[in-house]
Amino acid sequence: MTRPVPLPASALPMQAFRSEQRVRFGDCDPAGIVFFATWFAKANAAVEDWFEAALGIDFHALHAERRVGTGFAHAEADFFAPGLMGDRVALTPLVTRIGGASYGLTLHVHRGEAELLRMHLVTATTNLDARRAVPVPADLRAALAAYQERCA
């Protein structure tokens, strides 16, 4: 497997949504470096923000009222540099695939121009009551496709 090369933030599409987050004391290990699992929580927070700001879909209503879940079915990350306590980072999701009951994202995390890590996420859409996969809802599918087109 070839190791990916970090991309500068300026290489990402200008139209892409960016979730600005601060690395806090509680995000770090005793050495002041972001604990690897924290990045997955930050990724989920970025996705919640992205839904409302870029897709025009209320993430919380999708789950609580419509009972459609959007959990990670697959998650992996390539780490390029450590995140540090006090950093201000930008998390930028890009749609890579829209399937029947899932969609793929690449989420780039930058501190300034430096890419700290890149996550590859597959999100499954599920019926939260039946706990089964369901097709990506039509409004979400359309919003994902429109965002993907804007960022192409």
Side-chain angles (χ1 to χ4, degrees), residues 9-142:
S10 56
L12 300 181
M14 292 296 297
Q15 303 83 352
F17 171 78
R18 286 160 176 80
S19 173
E20 303 290 334
Q21 297 185 28
R22 180 109 191 240
V23 174
R24 306 217 176 260
F25 176 82
D27 296 330
C28 298
D29 63 18
I33 296 171
V34 176
F35 179 59
F36 74 93
T38 298
W39 288 121
F40 292 96
K42 287 190 172 298
N44 194 70
V47 167
E48 287 186 42
D49 295 343
W50 173 64
F51 260 70
E52 184 176 348
L55 302 182
I57 294 175
D58 185 327
F59 184 89
H60 302 108
L62 181 70
H63 290 76
E65 296 165 18
R66 294 172 59 184
R67 307 297 295 151
V68 175
T70 58
F72 297 146
H74 177 84
E76 63 182 59
D78 292 300
F79 296 88
F80 305 118
L84 305 172
M85 184 173 33
D87 281 350
R88 293 187 185 276
V89 295
L91 293 87
T92 307
L94 298 174
V95 176
T96 57
R97 182 186 65 78
I98 306 169
S102 66
Y103 55 91
L105 299 174
T106 297
L107 191 116
H108 300 267
V109 181
H110 286 87
R111 175 181 55 225
E113 278 294 303
E115 187 172 23
L116 301 180
L117 69 141
R118 186 177 309 154
M119 303 174 100
H120 301 283
L121 308 167
V122 175
T123 300
T125 49
T126 59
N127 175 302
L128 290 174
D129 297 321
R131 302 209 187 270
R132 294 184 181 269
V134 295
V136 176
D139 61 334
L140 177 55
R141 177 179 298 282

